[in-house]
Amino acid sequence: MAQAEPRVTGVRLLAAFFARPTETVARELLGTVLASRVGGVLTAGVIVETEAYLGSDDPGSHAATKGVTARNRVMYGQPGCAYVYFTYGNHHMLNLVTEAEGTAGAVLVRALEPVAGLETMSARRGGRTGPELANGPGKVAAALGIDLAHNGVTLGEDLVVYDADRPDPSRISTSGRVGLGAGHDLPLRFYLTDNRYVSRGRTGPRPPRRAAGGQTRGTT
DNA sequence: GTTCCGATTTTCT
DNA sequence: GAAAATCGGAACA
């Protein structure tokens, strides 16, 4: 394993990189280094897992049904911006906006292999270490200190993606996406095949919950 | 080892 | 009022 230390420097990937088809960007982001500088502390990791979210053709996308709303507006905006949103009451998701301005598209960063600022990441993750620092989309945002304040920011300052040696294409796997109510069959998830920092998106297939029972939850 | 369930906030109808 | 691109803890085998 002659793995050189990944450097948190180098060519910054900006709008020109992101202004391309979302699936292409999602695939090519694997192996690059995502760095944040929140609170003056550098934290960074190699992107090992992504998912592509398209526009109107994609039932799993926030841009699928409605067109532009206050929430998904950023997805239609400038490529190379961050699209951050909050879900399930606890978790932020970090996406990178793709496609030309006016076209919806974004890549969800699902997992990182931490390479810098591990102590800070661990503190933000409640003392956890190793793969548990960032092997899931909610964890990535937490480890990097990302929150809604970063929604719409342009990459290149507090948040930067550095180019790196691209992994061999044979080490990239594709699968259906994880956790969606719809559109999970589309092969829009990309990950490094043998990387232990990839989230498996739960341990097994998650069949839809009881189709109907009659006993809805007893909230008041 | 696996599987199930609740938490808790934002956004949208 | 309901759903959501999730996580972590508890229960069971």
Side-chain angles (χ1 to χ4, degrees):
Chain A
M1 295 166 325
Q3 271 192 340
E5 286 183 16
R7 296 176 303 175
V8 189
T9 56
V11 179
R12 295 185 300 180
L13 299 179
L14 301 174
F17 177 85
F18 292 96
R20 296 184 295 153
T22 305
E23 296 174 60
T24 302
V25 176
R27 181 179 283 271
E28 294 192 7
L29 276 173
L30 294 176
T32 65
V33 175
L34 175 62
S36 87
R37 207 178 267 284
V38 175
V41 183
L42 176 70
T43 50
V46 177
I47 297 175
V48 299
E49 181 178 355
T50 62
E51 280 180 7
Y53 286 86
L54 315 182
S56 52
D57 292 334
D58 181 359
S61 168
H62 288 165
T65 50
K66 304 297 175 178
V68 182
T69 68
R71 178 210 233 170
N72 65 26
R73 184 175 57 217
V74 178
M75 281 183 79
Y76 289 86
Q78 290 188 341
C81 288
Y83 169 45
V84 181
Y85 71 95
F86 198 78
T87 192
Y88 289 110
N90 299 342
H91 304 293
H92 294 92
M93 307 279 155
L94 172 61
N95 305 251
L96 305 177
V97 176
T98 61
E99 306 278 359
E101 185 167 3
T103 300
V107 175
L108 172 67
V109 180
R110 284 194 60 88
L112 298 180
E113 177 178 338
V115 295
L118 301 204
E119 290 182 17
T120 300
M121 295 171 85
S122 180
R124 287 172 179 155
R125 297 254 37 238
R128 282 157 214 285
T129 58
E132 295 192 0
L133 283 177
N135 63 343
K139 303 176 190 180
V140 168
L144 295 180
I146 301 295
D147 58 32
L148 284 178
H150 298 85
N151 188 29
V153 302
T154 301
L155 296 183
E157 306 197 10
D158 280 359
L159 205 54
V160 188
V161 177
Y162 294 102
D163 202 358
D165 291 336
R166 285 238 211 89
D168 191 274
S170 67
R171 292 202 292 124
I172 296 176
S173 296
T174 306
S175 80
R177 291 175 298 184
V178 176
L180 294 175
H184 51 79
D185 288 336
L186 300 173
L188 295 176
R189 173 179 179 234
F190 303 95
Y191 59 95
L192 297 182
T193 306
D194 289 325
N195 191 291
R196 59 187 271 241
Y197 293 87
V198 170
S199 87
R200 271 183 286 159
R202 290 237 169 244
T203 27
R206 195 170 41 163
R209 218 154 281 196
R210 217 171 290 276
Q215 259 195 344
T216 46
R217 198 161 305 165
T219 56
T220 47

